[in-house]
Amino acid sequence: MIDKATDSEIKICCATFYQSDVVRLLFGDVLHPGTLELTSHLGQIIGLTETDRVLDVACGRGASAVHLAERFGCHVTGLDYGPESVAGAEEHAAARGVAHLTTFRTGDAEELPLDNGTFDAVISECSFCTFPDKTTVARVLRPGGRLGLTDMTVSGDLPDDIQSLLSWVACVTGAGTPEHYVATLEQAGFTSFTIENHGAALMQMVNDVRRRFLAVELAAGLGKLNLGDLDLSEGKRLALRAVELIEKGVWGYTLIAARKE
Ligand SMILES: C[S@@+](CC[C@H](N)C(=O)[O-])C[C@H]1O[C@@H](n2cnc3c(N)ncnc32)[C@H](O)[C@@H]1O
């Protein structure tokens, strides 16, 4: 059982990590496997339309929220723990001309500062596994509202170093099997599940990151990038290990869509 202090440390660590220049160099602005193509697909699976009020929980720098507003014409509220990510998301929406279709705010996914039943759809990409309480999203959805997740999943026997690997790349302490997520969501009142395997997208992202390590090393060597306490050699070792785990099907990326009863 994780105590509250540890939960809050994880959230701060995660938000700080994803706001850093190193992460922007390694991952770019889209901080999930499958890029915005998978985000579009998720939007289609949950049937977004221009009348929908959508919440993107843990929206990062707003790439997906802006994309969904552009692609489907819906109104998207993006929420993230990191204030710099939220400020970046607002700038991004303004630059893309969809500020009128988006609202961004700082907040905690587990204590959503939003009224009950406010949204027609909630999405969360590459973040759901980090929330110790995975059921709070149900409260802000209206009855019949749709949930669309894409997230890290693990299956089978976990090698000793996998927690360290997942913690490094995604602050993940709570990744489970797709079946575990479905069971948790069923208990929270969700039904009509769609489940898709997107392990190939995870592999693509890990290989992209492996290629970008060189640029990060160069920038750090030239004094243009502060690595803080990030250990790049450990990062490279873990990225290689990630390829092995994805190939073995131990580590994956899964889309889960469902409807609130
Ligand atoms: C892997 S990034 C994903 C960002 C975005 N969904 C995307 O796909 O580009 C994880 C994000 O989760 C946010 N986060 C972690 N725990 C959170 C919490 N409890 N409440 C809100 N945001 C959280 C972090 O600040 C970070 O921006």
Side-chain angles (χ1 to χ4, degrees), residues 16-231:
T16 306
F17 179 70
Y18 281 107
Q19 289 175 156
S20 69
D21 291 338
V22 181
V23 166
R24 291 194 83 181
L25 265 179
L26 284 177
F27 293 87
D29 280 330
V30 180
L31 300 171
H32 63 262
T35 69
L36 294 176
E37 212 177 301
L38 186 54
T39 304
S40 278
H41 178 64
L42 183 65
Q44 278 170 331
I45 292 268
I46 61 171
L48 291 185
T49 69
E50 61 184 13
T51 59
D52 282 325
R53 298 154 300 164
V54 183
L55 173 65
D56 180 2
V57 184
C59 65
R61 289 183 178 269
S64 296
V66 166
H67 182 68
L68 291 176
E70 286 178 335
R71 168 90 167 68
F72 296 96
C74 49
H75 186 280
V76 189
T77 299
L79 177 134
D80 199 277
Y81 207 69
E84 286 171 37
S85 290
V86 169
E90 281 167 348
E91 276 173 32
H92 180 47
R96 299 287 307 189
V98 289
H100 61 296
L101 284 178
T102 52
T103 308
F104 293 99
R105 55 190 298 175
T106 308
D108 186 344
E110 289 184 90
E111 292 167 30
L112 290 171
L114 301 160
D115 292 336
N116 291 355
T118 321
F119 294 96
D120 303 296
V122 173
I123 70 148
S124 189
E125 297 168 297
C126 206
S127 308
F128 188 65
C129 56
T130 65
F131 310 150
D133 181 350
K134 304 193 192 310
T135 59
T136 51
V137 290
R139 181 180 65 73
V140 298
L141 263 180
R142 66 162 172 80
R146 294 95 72 205
L147 176 67
L149 306 172
T150 61
D151 213 341
M152 304 287 181
T153 44
V154 293
S155 299
D157 292 333
L158 301 183
D160 288 345
D161 60 348
I162 191 166
Q163 279 305 339
S164 145
L165 164 65
L166 292 176
S167 303
W168 197 88
V169 293
C171 330
V172 177
T173 53
T177 60
E179 296 74 23
H180 170 76
Y181 289 151
V182 168
T184 305
L185 291 170
E186 270 174 343
Q187 277 177 4
F190 287 96
T191 180
S192 309
F193 286 88
T194 300
I195 301 169
E196 291 179 359
N197 178 346
H198 287 277
L202 179 60
M203 182 67 96
Q204 177 72 54
M205 188 180 81
V206 170
N207 282 327
D208 287 346
V209 166
R210 289 177 66 206
R211 275 190 289 277
R212 290 179 191 145
F213 270 118
L214 185 61
V216 168
E217 272 173 332
L218 275 174
L222 291 169
K224 293 188 172 167
L225 182 69
N226 179 6
L227 291 178
D229 51 14
L230 196 67
D231 181 347

